[in-house]
Amino acid sequence: MRHFLITAGEPAGIGSDCILRAYATQPDALQQCIIVAPACWLQDRAKLIGMHIPVTEFGNIEDAKVDAVSNAAGLRCWNPLGSESSGPVTAGKPAPETAQAVIRCIEMAAQACLNGDAAALVTGPIEKAVLRSAGFTFPGHTEFLAYLAAQHTLSQAKTSFSEAGAEDQSHFVMMLASEHMRVALLTTHLAIRDVPDALGVDETLKCMQIVEHDLRSRFGIITPRLALCALNPHAGEQGHFGREEIDILAPAAAQARSQGIQVTDPLPADTVFSAAVRSQYDAMICCYHDQALIPLKTLSFGEAVNVTLGLPFIRTSVDHGTALDRVGQSSVSCSSLLAAIKMARQMGDLSR
């Protein structure tokens, strides 16, 4: 029996709303799903929005898994905090006191997946600024999960993380997917001015390798077709608008093609997302965050799924933030969470 873990993310945000509304809308979609969070986060939110959904807390994942098999009504929470307090939660108002609990829930959920105790991890949105106040040094979920996976791999090899080098942390790709397109990012959460310096031939090639591999192994695409977005206007205009296409992107694409990967040379980003062009490709490789997410969210906001490729376990996530100003409102949509759960199941089926 496969079990899926869901983290609620920031307890003051809409993560809990989405979980409760997803269960109320499609309870079957949450079968064999275990929420990694203190039960009180969901219980208090259920009272706020007037939902009567049973929420049961378990102190360890095994007990939660056994109960999930019963298919009894309600949600099951695995609280990995033990006797530690998760801190008070005020809807719509994040507090530093809950930051360590949020980090711990994500970490323990990832470790469970790495240990083979769960089939996939679906994550709710986090409030990064609050987590940083508690010493969280990662730009976001994606980088933290990649770090945990690298640590796990290195500990299995009985090698310290510092000895192996931080480059082992970077072998992951952030991809967002919807029915309209898939976009994969060469860089994730960086200031625009830092993007050109962060691009490199080796890193670009590794991204293409990971995307091609995971599209085959986890999405069932036999021969993935990849489009590479240029960084500069008009794909650099033969070097007049920048040399990143000539010095970095095109050489990486050439190396990828020599390995049998079907990828284009750098294409102008102002045309590659048109319906006629994007329909020819299974994924777009994009240079920076907004180059990828603006077209995707324009076409698919609320329906897209954030997927981390290159991890040794399946991880999907919602495509939205914590929406602190909408907590408790009936307008909160659970569509992205349901899409993330559905995609995790589909990826799991193809990976078996």
Side-chain angles (χ1 to χ4, degrees):
M1 179 74 67
R2 296 181 303 154
H3 294 85
F4 298 80
L5 303 182
I6 302 174
T7 53
E10 168 56 51
I14 64 169
S16 295
D17 297 60
C18 292
I19 292 169
L20 291 163
R21 294 191 184 282
Y23 181 82
T25 304
Q26 296 184 32
D28 290 348
L30 275 76
Q31 281 188 348
Q32 281 74 57
C33 287
I34 298 167
I35 317 303
V36 188
C40 61
W41 290 359
L42 292 171
Q43 292 166 340
D44 291 348
R45 189 60 52 81
K47 291 178 183 177
L48 177 67
I49 61 180
M51 285 189 170
H52 303 285
I53 296 175
V55 181
T56 307
E57 181 170 296
F58 297 88
N60 63 74
I61 189 173
E62 292 304 321
D63 289 344
K65 286 163 64 175
V66 169
D67 193 74
V69 174
S70 70
N71 289 327
L75 294 167
R76 294 154 188 83
C77 287
W78 165 36
N79 182 358
L81 305 179
S83 59
E84 302 173 29
S85 171
S86 63
V89 176
T90 301
K93 296 181 179 180
E97 290 79 11
T98 62
Q100 287 295 343
V102 172
I103 296 168
R104 182 66 172 164
C105 287
I106 298 169
E107 181 179 11
M108 293 302 292
Q111 292 295 346
C113 291
L114 288 164
N115 293 332
D117 294 325
L121 172 60
V122 179
T123 59
I126 56 175
E127 193 70 14
K128 301 178 184 71
V130 175
L131 299 190
R132 290 193 186 101
S133 69
F136 187 77
T137 60
F138 300 90
H141 257 126
T142 302
E143 295 84 356
F144 184 43
L145 294 174
Y147 168 76
L148 294 174
Q151 277 197 317
H152 178 83
T153 299
L154 293 167
S155 66
Q156 294 291 94
K158 303 185 185 300
T159 307
S160 73
F161 185 74
S162 59
E163 290 171 347
E167 66 273 10
D168 292 297
Q169 181 186 338
S170 64
H171 293 167
F172 68 90
V173 173
M174 179 179 175
M175 184 178 83
L176 284 93
S178 74
E179 65 176 73
H180 297 288
M181 70 176 80
R182 301 182 187 92
V183 291
L185 281 65
L186 289 175
T187 64
T188 53
H189 302 99
L190 284 180
I192 289 291
R193 68 176 61 192
D194 297 329
V195 170
D197 290 340
L199 296 175
V201 174
D202 291 344
E203 293 79 7
T204 302
L205 175 61
K206 188 65 181 178
C207 175
M208 295 171 185
Q209 292 169 335
I210 291 173
V211 173
E212 196 266 351
H213 175 273
D214 280 22
L215 287 181
R216 284 190 289 105
S217 64
R218 290 183 169 172
F219 287 82
I221 300 172
I222 298 173
T223 307
R225 302 161 301 165
L226 309 180
L228 177 59
C229 291
L231 172 67
N232 297 299
H234 303 176
E237 197 76 77
Q238 298 181 352
H240 293 289
F241 298 156
R243 292 193 55 86
E244 286 81 8
E245 289 75 18
I246 295 171
D247 296 338
I248 298 171
L249 300 178
Q255 288 190 43
R257 287 193 293 271
S258 74
Q259 299 174 7
I261 298 173
Q262 292 194 13
V263 61
T264 67
D265 278 328
L267 301 176
D270 62 349
T271 56
V272 75
F273 295 105
S274 66
V277 177
R278 71 172 186 265
S279 64
Q280 302 174 43
Y281 302 103
D282 298 300
M284 316 296 208
I285 309 293
C286 302
C287 291
Y288 57 94
H289 186 277
D290 284 10
Q291 184 182 62
L293 270 67
I294 287 174
L296 179 114
K297 290 192 175 185
T298 298
L299 293 172
S300 310
F301 189 73
E303 300 172 359
V305 178
N306 186 345
V307 186
T308 306
L309 306 181
L311 294 178
F313 62 90
I314 294 167
R315 181 261 176 153
T316 65
S317 187
V318 296
D319 72 343
H320 57 75
T322 55
L324 298 170
D325 59 332
R326 298 178 59 199
V327 173
Q329 297 181 19
S330 60
S331 60
V332 170
S333 171
C334 60
S335 59
S336 186
L337 177 60
L338 287 169
I341 295 170
K342 180 180 179 181
M343 184 170 290
R345 291 188 188 278
Q346 292 172 337
M347 292 172 68
D349 289 341
L350 289 167
S351 300
R352 296 175 74 179

